[in-house]
Amino acid sequence: MPRLIKDGAVIDDRWQPIDLDSDAPRAGQIASLEQWLNLADKAGTGVQLEPAEEPDTLFPHLHEIALIVINFPVFTDGRGFSYARRLREHGYRGELRAGGHFIRDQLTYLRRCGFDAFQMADESGLEAALASLSDFTEFYQAAEDQPLPLFRRRAEPTS
Amino acid sequence: MYIYDQYDQKIIDQRVAQFRDQTVRFLAGQISETEFLPLRLQNGLYLQRQAPMLRIAVPYGLMNSTQLRKLAEITRVYDKGYAHISTRQNVQLNWPALEEVPDILAELATVQMHAIQTSGNCVRNTTTDQFAGVACDELEDPRPYCEIIRQWSTLHPEFAFLPRKFKIAVCGSTEDRAAIHHHDIGLELLANAQGEIGLKVLVGGGLGRTPAIGSVICDWLDKRHMLTYLEAILRVYNKHGRRDNKFKARIKILVRAMGVDAFREAVEQEWSTLKDGPTTLTDEALERARSFFDAPDYAVIDGPAATAELDAACERDPIFGNWVKRNTLSHRMAGYRIVTVSLKSTGYAPGDITAEQLELVAELADLYSFGEIRSTHEQNLVLGDVPMAQLYPLWQRLQAAGLATPNIGYLTDIICCPGGDYCSLANAKSLPVAEAIQARFDDLDYVYDLGPLELNISGCMNACGHHHIGHIGILGVDKKGEEYYQVCLGGSQSKEASIGKILGPSFKQEAMPDVIDTILSTYVTLRQEEESFLDTYRRVGIDPFKERVYAQAH
């Protein structure tokens, strides 16, 4: 069974991967955006976005989606970072998974943008990669893990 | 200047630890070259022709004497005893060893310095006016805004893998000394009708392969919205900037492709979800940033008396007098002058400074200028707050160390990238061209007679030497393996910004001093009384120059 990092630990992946030949992905399976938009019964399915697919079409459905995967075919294409933030800003609370060829040195940034699951193309380094989730424990910017920018927290009276 | 608190220090220290671990994994073969590339670039490390190059960040060009001494020490221990001031106000080391770079970064962190995001496809060091806080024509000190942007952009999780590099410049004065029209984002501080300070926002300026002048997308933005608005611009760019061709990946190409109105609309739409959110600046945040840039403890000086004494000293020693005239500027405080330390002496690469010179400047800053030093994008250093009465001893020390060449703003104050001698991107060498021109025009009277003149040299079209915005620009090109030089005329980095026009076919290196000579004598022939080179060019156009230069070649 494929493995991934979820909520800071390495676990088995219960989701069925994307199958582009399938007419109707079932519950528990990940669909491409096109497949997913065409599904009559979306219940229990996940959806995967590619770099050229903005998340905006999903905004009306966010409360009913259990998994959104944002695929990184190459780790240098950073569009997915903005997509993740937009999804969280629009209220998505389900699993937000980074998939594909990102690298462990991006994990802190990905987590800060709202990803909570990380499925790396090369699974061999998953355990070691956990360490990179906490490369930083202090940040300047507001993000999903820290809603207040440092300049607002500095202004708070210290207890 | 800005002083780190425990938060800043923790972030910088954690960054050093992260890069140390990345370097260890790279050297152990656990990270591929491709994967290590952006990691090292975002820590300022290039792998160059002869050795790596480390670009150290100097946020908006401001340093203290402790930092300068640390830089001197680092160049001795880890490099060859000299450093280079870059055209983005940063400091570059040309000979560090890859495996020692984490140690260098750890040394820098002890004096509140780093090399974060000095390269790579991310938000780079924010630049500004080297005379911020002391210039007479300043409306608002840009440095607090630069510091706020520095913090916001440092390790920003969303914008570390942009389509391409991203440069922001801020200006708060009548004259633009930060070249804001030539940055991905240019910010100009200005007051609205009620006298409140806000920002004019320009987007899509730049140099490089496709030079462009920035377009205004917001005439006046309340300063509290600065960061959310920047975030909206960056997000539009991150989502829509081209990633299929690195030569078309800068934001200027996106702005041009969308049209400025559509781009503005996309930004406004993105901004609607960010505006008034937690990243909106508070009065406390603005005040805290401002508090670091309070005026130093100036002495109360009788201005007219000090000026009279200085005039007398200049008369007694005309060489000193000439230096005062050429390399110092009026200060907003009575009895003070702004001093530019020239790193443009013939025979030395423009912007290079030795460890001994760094230590000397640190000492002089402590003695005469409140311990602060500024770096300029023209690749010089500035002592911003020197009492007039101290100019003479300061000059004597600078003069003895080769740091008082009286050429600031003149022909031989050349901006020049490291070029083919060091840089692996370069098509041609740039340093020998600069040196040949400085050597040819060693008659200072002629140089002064030519008036204000900006001559900028880049060794390739990435344009680190800002050749497009030099009054005279020189670009190194590769013609079937041979180094040639293209000349452009009429560029300007001022508020009346312009991009230089190509004169014609390129020249061999040895022809360059003659070509520049012909261009200059053409100007001297054509100029009307007191008319600068740029004004003459703007009046007569490129043709007379073209005729003279190419007539001679045949």
Side-chain angles (χ1 to χ4, degrees), chain A residues 54 56 75-79 81-83 85-86 89-90 103-106 108-109 112-113 132 135-143 147-155, chain B residues 2 5 7-8 10-11 14-15 18 21-22 25 34-35 38-39 150-152 154-158 160-161 231 235 238-240 243 270 274 278-282 285 288:
Chain A
E54 286 196 60
D56 302 40
F75 77 103
T76 49
D77 187 335
R79 283 178 279 188
F81 291 86
S82 286
Y83 296 170
R85 287 201 85 177
R86 278 178 64 79
E89 283 165 8
H90 281 80
I103 60 175
R104 63 175 267 193
D105 302 281
Q106 293 174 305
T108 302
Y109 287 162
R112 300 211 69 215
C113 286
S132 291
D135 277 351
F136 294 91
T137 56
E138 189 51 77
F139 313 99
Y140 286 118
Q141 311 80 9
L148 291 180
L150 183 58
F151 65 76
R152 283 183 190 265
R153 288 181 286 124
R154 268 180 175 136
Chain B
Y2 186 72
D5 64 8
Y7 298 108
D8 303 285
K10 190 170 182 184
I11 290 168
Q14 291 187 338
R15 177 60 154 195
Q18 183 195 40
D21 174 60
Q22 289 166 345
R25 284 190 280 127
T34 323
E35 290 171 353
L39 305 180
R150 181 194 74 80
Q151 297 191 18
W152 163 80
T154 296
L155 310 180
H156 196 297
E158 188 179 343
F161 295 89
E231 204 143 287
R235 192 175 280 181
N238 191 35
K239 290 196 300 177
H240 302 299
R243 292 173 185 269
E270 202 65 65
L274 301 168
T279 301
T280 306
L281 288 167
T282 57
R288 178 178 188 270

Side-chain angles (χ1 to χ4, degrees), chain B residues 400-458:
Chain B
L403 295 170
T405 310
N407 61 352
I408 299 304
Y410 292 97
L411 172 68
T412 52
D413 183 11
I414 295 174
I415 293 181
C416 185
C417 72
D421 291 296
Y422 294 102
C423 178
S424 54
L425 301 172
N427 290 323
K429 294 190 178 69
S430 50
L431 298 175
V433 178
E435 189 176 347
I437 293 169
Q438 286 174 328
R440 166 70 68 94
F441 300 97
D442 62 347
D443 174 358
L444 276 173
D445 288 334
Y446 182 63
V447 167
Y448 297 147
D449 178 61
L450 294 170
L453 228 161
E454 296 169 13
L455 192 153
N456 300 356
I457 308 177
S458 304

